Amino acid sequence: MKKKIIGIVFFLYITLLIFLAVRPKFSYLYNNLLPGSDIGGWNMYQYLLKTDVDVFVVSNNNDTTSINWEKHFYHNKFASSAHPNFLYEHANRFLQFLDRNCDEIQDFRENNDKGYLNINIKLIKERYDTTRANIVVPID
């Protein structure tokens, strides 16, 4: 009986190791089941995070207009959830807010220009863990 239990535990251990090794190869498993980056878990220690954010509008003519996003974003924290996928949801909502409330985008619309609003977010925990997000929202 003891050998059978040890065999089962050993089999489960090896299976788990193989699963963790294979998981990054499949985007569904990597992004939805046990997400790859643990940087979101540092939401309690945000003073350890360096945030690098660029927000800009790109027209169909490839003209780029930088946006002062900090004037609309009051706490400067994109890592506010323990789940890294929340970063995309948070950034997408922020871009929708900018789409309705930003002067540069309203000027862009008044000129009947078409293009997209882009946000690049890079969260760096010291030098060891980096999470990047690039979210694009079309402007019609």
Side-chain angles (χ1 to χ4, degrees):
M1 182 71 177
K2 236 181 186 183
K3 285 186 179 184
K4 188 174 184 178
I5 292 174
I6 291 173
I8 291 171
V9 169
F10 181 72
F11 174 75
L12 290 174
Y13 177 74
I14 296 299
T15 304
L16 181 62
L17 286 178
I18 291 171
F19 171 74
L20 290 174
V22 171
R23 184 178 57 93
K25 304 294 184 199
F26 301 100
S27 64
Y28 176 79
L29 293 175
Y30 190 68
N31 291 328
N32 297 315
L33 182 67
L34 301 171
S37 176
D38 66 348
I39 202 165
W42 288 89
N43 59 336
M44 290 175 49
Y45 308 101
Q46 293 198 6
Y47 60 90
L48 295 175
L49 286 179
K50 177 182 176 227
T51 305
D52 183 19
V53 179
D54 293 317
V55 180
F56 51 93
V57 176
V58 178
S59 70
N60 287 343
N61 317 0
N62 286 332
D63 294 333
T64 304
T65 305
S66 184
I67 293 181
N68 182 8
W69 63 275
E70 292 168 322
K71 135 176 137 175
H72 301 282
F73 199 82
Y74 300 114
H75 53 80
N76 192 19
K77 302 290 188 248
F78 276 99
S80 58
S81 170
H83 198 290
N85 288 342
F86 182 74
L87 176 66
Y88 290 94
E89 183 65 29
H90 191 171
N92 201 5
R93 286 183 188 166
F94 179 61
L95 289 182
Q96 290 171 4
F97 170 81
L98 284 179
D99 193 26
R100 293 185 308 269
N101 299 299
C102 181
D103 295 335
E104 290 93 344
I105 296 173
Q106 298 310 319
D107 292 342
F108 190 80
R109 286 179 186 278
E110 286 175 8
N111 292 335
N112 293 324
D113 287 337
K114 304 236 184 257
Y116 58 90
L117 180 59
N118 193 332
I119 185 169
N120 290 325
I121 304 169
K122 185 165 48 167
L123 301 173
I124 304 165
K125 183 205 166 282
E126 297 166 350
R127 300 183 309 271
Y128 306 109
D129 191 9
T130 301
T131 296
R132 291 179 177 84
N134 185 15
I135 296 97
V136 176
V137 174
I139 299 174
D140 299 332

